[in-house]
Structure formats: structure tokens, C-alpha cells
Amino acid sequence: MSNHDIAVSSRVRLARNSSAVPFPNRMTQAQRQQLWQQVCSALPDNYTALAIEPNTQNEASALAEQHWISPEFARVQGAHGVLYDKAAGLSVMVNEEDHLRIQALVNGYRLDDALAACQTAERQLSQALPFATDDKLGYLTSCPTNLGTAMRASVMLHLPALTQSGQMRFAIEAVSKLGLTVRGFYGEGSPALGGYYQLSNQVSLGLSEQDILLRLHDTAASLMDKEAATRTAMHHNARLPWEDRVYRAYGQLTNARLLNFDEALSGLSLLRMGLLEQLPAPCTVQQLDALTAQIGPATLSQQAQQPLNAMQRDAYRAQLLRD
């Protein structure tokens, strides 16, 4: 197992505000709509534009489940939307807490690639929009913790062994002393379902982009080393019970007729850990990660092309995983 396989995805997000209009909390509806049109015109045709309205709520919720936008943004009312290019791993949220949240999301442990992709989109937008900056404070943002580079970088880490062994709470305390934070599966305020955690920087003022990435790299590497060592110890000290849990999860995922979200995510998490420890399974880590992004309720309804009630979703999810 490569320690880097413990990293599921890497993300970089840049907060930017236009100097030509008031900050979002003081904008009129007309100004919000005008900014949306400006951003739509500034980005190339390979981006898909989604204005988030009551009739597009399920599509927005599906994007949040897949980490393209924040769950809070999917629920906000008013003139706002997202432009995204999944092939390039890019999305731009318009009229969020800031005018723009430019985000790159890539598979694996590739923070540098995520930053490079994000800066490409930023350059395209800067040609059409003057960004609000200050010589001392850097990019001006709605929240003071985003001042400076206004960059939030994060790595989604799969840390089930640290979670099960009770070490994760000590790791979170240690990380907070380094100016970093650990959040759950869907970001701030969400639980760490399946042992998935987002490690990200807390502040950007006074730090360069490379400073932030270096600090994140070092901490992520340390957590991945601890996870790998804990898995090895679990496998060595309690191999039979540990393998039994993995194979039971495999049996459930390949035979169940009804699976709720928590059951499916827990099973995929166990199977992912087992696969990285060389237990046989007819799939790859990449396929498991792709499945994890497809089992949310809104995503399932989108795939079925019709609304699904709770039991229908559980049946559809079970069928998807059996297939």
C-alpha cells in the first residue's frame, strides 16, 4: 500500500470579490444577477452553468454530495449559481459568502495540480472582473480568516483505523495547534462518516500559497503515516476479526436489496481499507471512490431521472452497488 492511497482527493479554493460592486451581504438582487451574467460570459463554453433555484434544487444538492459546491450554498435562496467543468475538475460558485469561490477538485494526493488548475480559472475571471485587494491585507474577503491569499486548500483523507482505535481525537487536537483544521465528510459541521476527514488550512493571512501547501503536505503525510502504521498493527494483532469485518461488508454490498447511505458508506470504507491491505476484491480503489460519490440521495434521484422516496433510494443504491 502506498500511503498516498489514503488520500481520496485534493481541493484548492480561492475566494475573490469584485471591486466594482458591494460585497455580497450588501448587494441588491439586480447586482447579483448582473455579476452572475458577467461570470457566465467570462468563462469558456466547456463550463455548465446552473442557476440555483427551487426547480434545480435536486441538481444542486447532487453537486454538493459530490463536493463540487458546499452544502450551505446548495440551500441558499436568491440570485446565485455555479459554473462547473467536471472534466477539468473546476467549479465557480457565484454570490456565495464572497462574490466568487473558485475551486479545483482532483482525485488523489495532488494539491499542486489542484492549485494550478484553480489559478487557470482565476486568470480567466480576472480579465473580466477587477478583484478587490489591499496592499497590506491581500485579497479582501467577507470573512477575516480568508484575508491574504484567500486560499483554502484541503485533502480528503480516509482514516478508518485511526478512528476505530480512538487516536483521531488526539490527532485533531494536534493539528489545530498548527493552524490547520479537520472537518467531516461534507466539510464544516458534518460528521466524519466512514472515517473520511477533510484536512485544511484555517487562515491564509501572512502566508503564501506555497507556505499553506507545504504545511498541509507535512501534516497530511504525518496523518497518512500514522494511519498506515495503525492498519498494520490492527492486521497483525487482530487479523481474523479485522478481515471478517471487511468480508462481511463485501457480502452486504454485493447482496443487500436495501441499503441506506450510512450503511453503504461504511461498507465502502471497510472495503477500501481492505483493498489497500491486499485483500481480494473485484474492483479498484478508484472505482470505490467513484461509487462513494454516487450514493447520496440527490445523486441517486438524478441518476434515476425521477424523484425517489426513502425506500426507493435504498433499493436503487443497493442495486447500484450490486452491479
Side-chain angles (χ1 to χ4, degrees):
M1 176 185 69
S2 165
N3 284 8
H4 284 188
D5 289 331
I6 293 169
V8 179
S9 60
S10 304
R11 178 167 59 179
V12 169
R13 192 179 68 199
L14 302 174
R16 297 291 183 263
N17 286 286
S18 170
S19 61
V21 289
F23 270 45
N25 64 331
R26 301 188 66 184
M27 292 175 76
T28 65
Q29 196 77 346
Q31 288 171 326
R32 287 175 175 272
Q33 193 61 43
Q34 183 180 13
L35 182 65
W36 168 251
Q37 295 298 334
Q38 281 182 290
V39 176
C40 288
S41 300
L43 290 172
D45 293 339
N46 49 298
Y47 280 83
T48 299
L50 177 71
I52 301 178
E53 300 167 343
N55 65 328
T56 61
Q57 196 67 58
N58 189 77
E59 190 174 351
S61 296
L63 289 174
E65 289 173 358
Q66 298 158 31
H67 303 287
W68 292 103
I69 62 176
S70 64
E72 298 78 16
F73 188 65
R75 295 190 292 265
V76 169
Q77 300 298 313
H80 69 298
V82 58
L83 294 101
Y84 60 92
D85 177 3
K86 289 187 177 181
L90 288 165
S91 63
V92 180
M93 289 176 274
V94 183
N95 292 327
E96 205 222 30
E97 182 180 71
D98 293 290
H99 290 146
L100 304 175
R101 289 288 175 90
I102 308 164
Q103 176 183 283
L105 177 65
V106 298
N107 295 329
Y109 191 45
R110 298 162 49 210
L111 282 166
D112 294 322
D113 290 344
L115 176 59
C118 215
Q119 289 174 330
T120 297
E122 179 198 24
R123 284 192 293 271
Q124 292 171 326
L125 288 164
S126 67
Q127 294 173 8
L129 296 169
F131 292 148
T133 60
D134 179 88
D135 290 342
K136 291 184 178 179
L137 298 176
Y139 289 101
L140 300 181
T141 56
S142 295
C143 180
T145 59
N146 287 328
L147 289 170
T149 61
M151 183 178 91
R152 176 67 58 85
S154 65
V155 185
M156 178 76 81
L157 298 173
H158 184 222
L159 307 173
L162 288 178
T163 304
Q164 293 168 30
S165 64
Q167 298 179 61
M168 201 58 214
R169 59 192 178 95
F170 301 110
I172 291 172
E173 291 174 7
V175 161
S176 65
K177 297 174 183 177
L178 301 173
L180 303 173
T181 187
V182 177
R183 295 186 167 94
F185 187 68
Y186 285 122
E188 190 170 2
S190 68
L193 302 170
Y196 289 96
Y197 297 85
Q198 292 184 34
L199 173 70
S200 65
N201 61 301
Q202 279 187 301
V203 295
S204 56
L205 184 62
L207 298 170
S208 69
E209 286 91 345
Q210 290 306 317
D211 289 335
I212 293 170
L213 291 192
L214 182 61
R215 186 175 296 184
L216 198 58
H217 272 301
D218 290 345
T219 307
S222 176
L223 284 172
M224 288 190 286
D225 286 344
K226 285 185 172 71
E227 172 69 16
T230 304
R231 290 186 190 186
T232 300
M234 288 172 62
H235 203 185
H236 178 73
N237 297 327
R239 178 169 182 168
L240 197 58
W242 183 84
E243 288 190 357
D244 182 66
R245 292 186 65 203
V246 174
Y247 278 108
R248 283 176 183 271
Y250 177 67
Q252 183 184 43
L253 292 175
T254 53
N255 290 282
R257 264 46 188 174
L258 292 171
L259 280 172
N260 64 37
F261 178 80
D262 287 353
E263 289 172 330
L265 186 62
S266 176
L268 288 169
S269 172
L270 280 166
L271 198 58
R272 189 183 197 278
M273 183 168 66
L275 191 60
L276 291 178
E277 292 299 325
Q278 313 305 317
L279 295 187
C283 55
T284 65
V285 169
Q286 291 72 27
Q287 287 172 322
L288 290 176
D289 290 342
L291 279 171
T292 300
Q294 296 176 47
I295 60 174
T299 302
L300 291 174
S301 293
Q302 190 178 43
Q303 290 176 358
Q305 298 182 333
Q306 61 179 336
L308 301 174
N309 61 34
M311 182 173 288
Q312 289 171 330
R313 285 197 302 268
D314 289 353
Y316 196 96
R317 185 182 292 113
Q319 179 70 58
L320 172 71
L321 292 170
R322 289 201 309 275
D323 291 345

